[in-house]
Amino acid sequence: MRGAKSATWVAGAIIVAMAATACGGGGGDKGSKNDAGGVNPNGKFSVEVGEPQNPLQPANTMESNGSIVVRSLFAQLVDYDPQGKIVMVNAQSVDTKDNKTYTVTLKDGWTFHDGTPVTAESYVKAWNWAANINNAQTNASWFADIKGFSDVHPEKEGAKPKADTMSGLKVVDDKTFTIELTTPIPYFVYKLGYEVFSPLPESFYKDPKAAGENPVGNGPYQFVKWDHKKQIEVKRFDGYKGPDKAKNGGVIFKNYTGLEAAYEDLKSGNVDVLRQIAPKDLPVYRDDLGDRAVDQAYSAIQSIVPAFYSKQWKNVDPKVIQGLSMAIDRDTITKTVLQGTREPATGFVAKGVLGYQDNVGGDVFKYDPAKAKELIKAGGGVPGNKISIQYNADGGHKEWVEAVCNSITNATGIKCAGDSKADFQSDLDAREAHEVKSIYRSGWVLDYPVNANFIRDLYGTTSAGNQSGFSNKDLDALIKKADTAPSLEDSVKDYQDAEKKMVELMPAIPLWYYKVNAGYSENVSNVQYAQNGDPILTGVEVKK
């Protein structure tokens, strides 16, 4: 999540979705229509989002504003239930005898929204296109496990691909294809639930850029239109064959540049579903919304990450970062500024995924000003004796960033200030361009419910989610060991060992685990939130 969502970057201070689904437009008058009861199966509802960073291409989306839309339009081979059990969606089966070669058999009768059939070639061609370095897809590295990836996506900068296709992908017939990995990976089937592995129709390749503006998928909703920086509209696809058919007529993803405005619109019935509540409204939203207020845990984590490519952090001793971690009073900030809506983090892996372990960080994540100063001094100090924390202003982060900075300064004397970017898109663009001045805010939600997603996909040297420039041979070796373990259980355990090593290396400073603090209007019912924090769009019912 993504994650799930590639990993999926979290835009806001508070977000969740394991079953991928979508939302739409609503609003309207309250009162008698709600009292009368009844559901309009063709009614649309609206959900709060921000402007997606990139065109709506499945392999080019790594942030929550784009991924919630992409997941509504594209269905995957598999999904997972809240217990982390694999559920077949477009796949009839995904079989392997050795964790290295997987045979995928598709279900009958699936079509894209343009009426063309979803075939094995639809997957194989899409994955080869997404992996090819010439197509510059943000999440191309998610195909790195497949044999032949280096031929289509050479590691050396400026090198041209040796091939157009990965040798590890083979079409057997219209309903069957095989995936051969470079080495066995016992959790690979879990990764197939991430939207980077979507199929694409033949029409996509005629003009991929145009297809990103007018996507054709195979999911529960069909694209209608995108008014940039205003809204994206999708409608129910009645030909959808998946298990999560929409109980509504569609969704309007309404663009907001601030959570405060979205909350006011929610109260007045001008938007139906929020993914998050602004910090300033947390003290009152439960009273305002009553039983329409949402407060539940989901699998995501908030961290701050040094830009290791920068002059300030390039050769830093991890003791300095450990010291900064111990200068942050997580307990007080989560209880006061965040109104108890977060839980202080004790490790790098979010709760609710396979391999989560409590208190892996020990004292490193506990507030101790004296020890913080001692560690920072032992590590040679913070270069320049000042830091800044980059964040997106549209995500409700200003208050807690200021609180973290005040905690660090009060505990250590190091100057700290927020570095605000106008919106999530600007924040991500600065990260990807390696323009972060000092430290950046990083929120990560599961793409698949295994601890590997919070370790390999964020801190592996070549991983798409690694935007900080962090690289460590010892951690890469532990990741490789976990990926080649003989079973899922062994892999999870090896990743737990890798997480313990990360406490020594400090590729980031985990702050707290997320909760979904959100709400919905009187116009809708059956609003539920998934493990990745997003509303389960297909289940929302619109009142008459």
Side-chain angles (χ1 to χ4, degrees):
M1 274 130 68
R2 180 339 113 7
K5 304 127 227 346
S6 61
T8 300
W9 295 118
V10 183
I14 308 132
I15 299 201
V16 270
M18 209 159 200
T21 28
C23 306
D29 227 3
K30 298 181 184 177
S32 60
K33 73 170 185 178
N34 293 319
D35 297 334
V39 171
N40 177 7
N42 297 316
K44 289 190 174 184
F45 69 100
S46 56
V47 62
E48 156 269 321
V49 297
E51 178 75 357
Q53 181 192 20
N54 296 320
L56 298 172
Q57 300 163 321
N60 208 24
T61 301
M62 194 196 289
E63 43 78 31
S64 55
N65 292 327
S67 64
I68 189 173
V69 182
V70 169
R71 284 195 304 275
S72 75
L73 300 171
F74 291 88
Q76 307 308 310
L77 293 168
V78 304
D79 202 346
Y80 342 93
D81 66 18
Q83 287 72 45
K85 182 182 177 182
I86 293 291
V87 176
M88 295 295 149
V89 183
N90 197 177
Q92 180 68 39
S93 61
V94 181
D95 297 319
T96 184
K97 294 179 180 179
D98 58 5
N99 293 328
K100 185 179 181 183
T101 299
Y102 291 78
T103 299
V104 178
T105 303
L106 302 180
K107 292 178 179 177
D108 290 326
W110 278 64
T111 65
F112 289 103
H113 301 147
D114 61 4
T116 58
V118 178
T119 66
E121 179 71 14
S122 305
Y123 281 94
V124 169
K125 188 172 181 178
W127 297 4
N128 279 318
W129 185 90
N132 194 301
I133 195 169
N134 292 334
N135 297 320
Q137 295 293 281
T138 302
N139 288 330
S141 69
W142 276 70
F143 300 96
D145 300 318
I146 299 173
K147 185 178 179 181
F149 174 78
S150 60
D151 291 333
V152 301
H153 198 105
E155 187 174 338
K156 187 177 179 182
E157 189 173 350
K160 295 181 179 180
K162 298 177 182 177
D164 294 327
T165 61
M166 292 180 281
S167 59
L169 296 178
K170 303 289 185 185
V171 173
V172 178
D173 55 43
D174 278 354
K175 293 291 184 291
T176 313
F177 67 99
T178 59
I179 310 165
E180 183 182 356
L181 307 182
T182 305
T183 58
I185 295 179
Y187 59 87
F188 184 76
V189 66
Y190 280 89
K191 300 181 73 169
L192 296 176
Y194 178 47
E195 57 262 30
V196 70
F197 294 102
S198 297
L200 294 171
E202 278 301 309
S203 60
F204 174 90
Y205 305 101
K206 296 174 184 176
D207 190 342
K209 184 176 180 182
E213 296 292 324
N214 191 0
V216 175
N218 66 325
Y221 294 95
Q222 183 174 354
F223 181 83
V224 176
K225 62 180 178 179
W226 184 357
D227 295 327
H228 283 276
K229 297 194 174 179
K230 292 182 180 179
Q231 65 182 39
I232 298 172
E233 183 178 357
V234 301
K235 66 180 180 180
R236 182 181 64 232
F237 177 51
D238 288 328
Y240 180 61
K241 300 293 185 181
D244 53 335
K245 293 180 183 291
K247 296 180 179 179
N248 51 72
V251 184
I252 294 175
F253 301 93
K254 292 185 69 172
N255 186 282
Y256 286 91
T257 58
L259 298 179
E260 293 84 357
Y263 184 64
E264 292 304 313
D265 270 6
L266 177 70
K267 290 192 294 182
S268 60
N270 292 320
V271 68
D272 294 316
V273 178
L274 297 192
R275 298 178 299 165
Q276 51 196 326
I277 301 290
K280 86 172 189 62
D281 295 314
L282 289 175
V284 299
Y285 90 104
R286 294 179 184 86
D287 289 337
D288 288 347
L289 301 179
D291 60 7
R292 293 180 288 110
V294 177
D295 181 358
Q296 71 178 58
Y298 75 104
S299 298
I301 191 168
Q302 182 82 73
S303 303
I304 53 176
V305 184
F308 291 98
Y309 53 78
S310 67
K311 184 178 179 181
Q312 182 176 35
W313 299 107
K314 196 161 191 176
N315 297 306
V316 70
D317 188 319
K319 289 188 180 70
V320 174
I321 305 173
Q322 288 177 330
L324 289 174
S325 175
M326 297 187 76
I328 300 169
D329 189 350
R330 294 168 178 80
D331 285 337
T332 298
I333 294 171
T334 53
K335 288 174 183 174
T336 57
V337 177
L338 295 170
Q339 295 289 315
T341 62
R342 300 289 182 277
E343 181 182 346
T346 63
F348 294 87
V349 174
K351 287 190 168 185
V353 303
L354 295 174
Y356 166 79
Q357 47 190 345
D358 189 35
N359 200 29
V360 70
D363 292 342
V364 172
F365 298 151
K366 293 178 182 176
Y367 182 57
D368 187 335
K371 185 66 173 177
K373 286 186 282 190
E374 179 184 320
L375 282 167
I376 291 170
K377 183 178 179 180
V382 172
N385 206 42
K386 63 180 180 180
I387 60 175
S388 62
I389 302 174
Q390 178 179 300
Y391 67 95
N392 52 303
D394 62 345
H397 302 295
K398 181 175 184 289
E399 292 85 353
W400 72 255
V401 168
E402 290 178 347
V404 167
C405 274
N406 289 337
S407 183
I408 289 172
T409 300
N410 291 337
T412 67
I414 294 165
K415 295 180 180 178
C416 180
D419 180 11
S420 174
K421 300 299 178 185
D423 51 35
F424 196 34
Q425 184 173 5
S426 302
D427 174 40
L428 289 171
D429 288 345
R431 293 195 225 168
E432 290 180 5
H434 280 190
E435 293 174 350
V436 176
K437 299 182 183 74
S438 180
I439 294 173
Y440 63 87
R441 176 202 76 84
S442 171
W444 189 260
V445 60
L446 92 168
D447 300 307
Y448 53 96
V450 183
N451 55 357
N453 187 222
F454 290 83
I455 299 175
R456 168 186 167 164
D457 297 323
L458 272 178
Y459 305 114
T461 295
T462 60
S463 297
N466 185 342
Q467 296 179 327
S468 69
F470 176 83
S471 179
N472 182 270
K473 291 180 179 179
D474 291 339
L475 182 60
D476 286 343
L478 289 170
I479 288 172
K480 185 176 181 180
K481 181 176 183 286
D483 281 351
T484 55
S487 68
L488 176 62
E489 292 76 15
D490 289 327
S491 179
V492 166
K493 183 179 182 301
D494 287 343
Y495 267 112
Q496 289 178 323
D497 292 339
E499 186 184 11
K500 293 171 184 174
K501 181 67 176 179
M502 288 164 66
V503 180
E504 300 174 23
L505 303 174
M506 292 302 288
I509 300 175
L511 296 177
W512 37 76
Y513 305 118
Y514 274 88
K515 282 187 177 181
V516 183
N517 295 99
Y520 52 93
S521 77
E522 294 178 343
N523 302 314
V524 292
S525 61
N526 198 37
V527 181
Q528 299 180 36
Y529 291 75
Q531 191 178 355
N532 68 357
D534 279 342
I536 301 175
L537 304 179
T538 51
V540 175
E541 296 178 333
V542 180
K543 296 180 181 179
K544 290 182 178 178

